[in-house]
Amino acid sequence: MTQPFGLGGRPLTPAPGAPTPELLVAKFRGHARRLFWSALVLIAVAGACGYLYGNLPAPLHDWMLLAAAGVIVLLLVVLPFLVWWGRVYTITTRRVLERRGVFAVRRRELAHVRGYTLKVKRGLLQRMWRAGTITLTNGIDEPLRLANIPSVELVHEVLVDQVEVNQILAHRDAQPLPPGVPPMPPPPTGPTAPLA
């Protein structure tokens, strides 16, 4: 957890009207079990190449074996790994972000303060691995789907907590300040580094 804690383990809240910094809560990828078949293919191709290299029948050459092995590894090992590695989910204290792609990156985000419904779907294999798919819907934008994520119960609790805290802070900040309390100065303007 990146937030400082106050009494009773509750995160400290900023003063009314004070700017709240955006803090990183969690950053994760989908469950790596989807790479199981890619690992098996890589082991099988390496074993077959080791066994057949130098032992091919007369019309075939070793370079043909290596070229076929390279194509199989590229299509069934490297591409699935890049698809898995290129999808990153980030939860901050203000929003949920999804980043897709390795070369052409697409980003989507959903703010906690607007509120959304959470739908958790878990199949039999996902339950065995404590994984699941969470769909976030705010009724306006296209649903944001966090597919096959590990520790789905923990991620669900974090998202519910962040929505609750953001809505409480937004409600509190919408209330007028008591008389005699000076308003907080606006936050400094300037370039800020976007979250990756």
Side-chain angles (χ1 to χ4, degrees), residues 9 19 22 30-32 37 48-50 54-55 76-78 82 99 103 119-120 122 127-128 132 134 176 183 189:
E22 183 172 17
H31 204 283
W37 295 109
C49 283
N55 296 326
L76 299 178
V77 177
V78 174
L82 288 177
R99 183 180 62 88
F103 304 112
K119 178 182 172 187
V120 179
R122 300 176 71 193
R127 278 187 250 142
M128 288 173 51
I134 297 178
T189 59

Side-chain angles (χ1 to χ4, degrees), residues 18 41 73 77 94 150:
V41 167
V73 167
V77 177
R94 290 188 187 168

Side-chain angles (χ1 to χ4, degrees), residues 96-109:
V96 179
L97 294 105
E98 175 193 37
R99 183 180 62 88
R100 282 182 168 183
V102 177
F103 304 112
V105 178
R106 293 184 338 177
R107 286 179 52 162
R108 289 191 56 213
E109 64 181 62

Side-chain angles (χ1 to χ4, degrees), residues 2-52:
T2 57
Q3 296 177 346
F5 286 97
L7 297 174
R10 302 286 296 174
L12 294 174
T13 58
T20 57
E22 183 172 17
L23 302 173
L24 179 66
V25 176
K27 190 172 190 176
F28 51 90
R29 290 184 169 82
H31 204 283
R33 70 180 170 83
R34 70 181 298 182
L35 299 175
F36 173 76
W37 295 109
S38 296
L40 280 183
V41 167
L42 182 62
I43 292 169
V45 167
C49 283
Y51 180 74
L52 295 175

Side-chain angles (χ1 to χ4, degrees), residues 13-18 20 167-177:
T13 58
T20 57
Q167 289 185 346
I168 289 171
L169 289 175
H171 177 72
R172 185 194 67 180
D173 289 342
Q175 303 301 316
L177 290 174

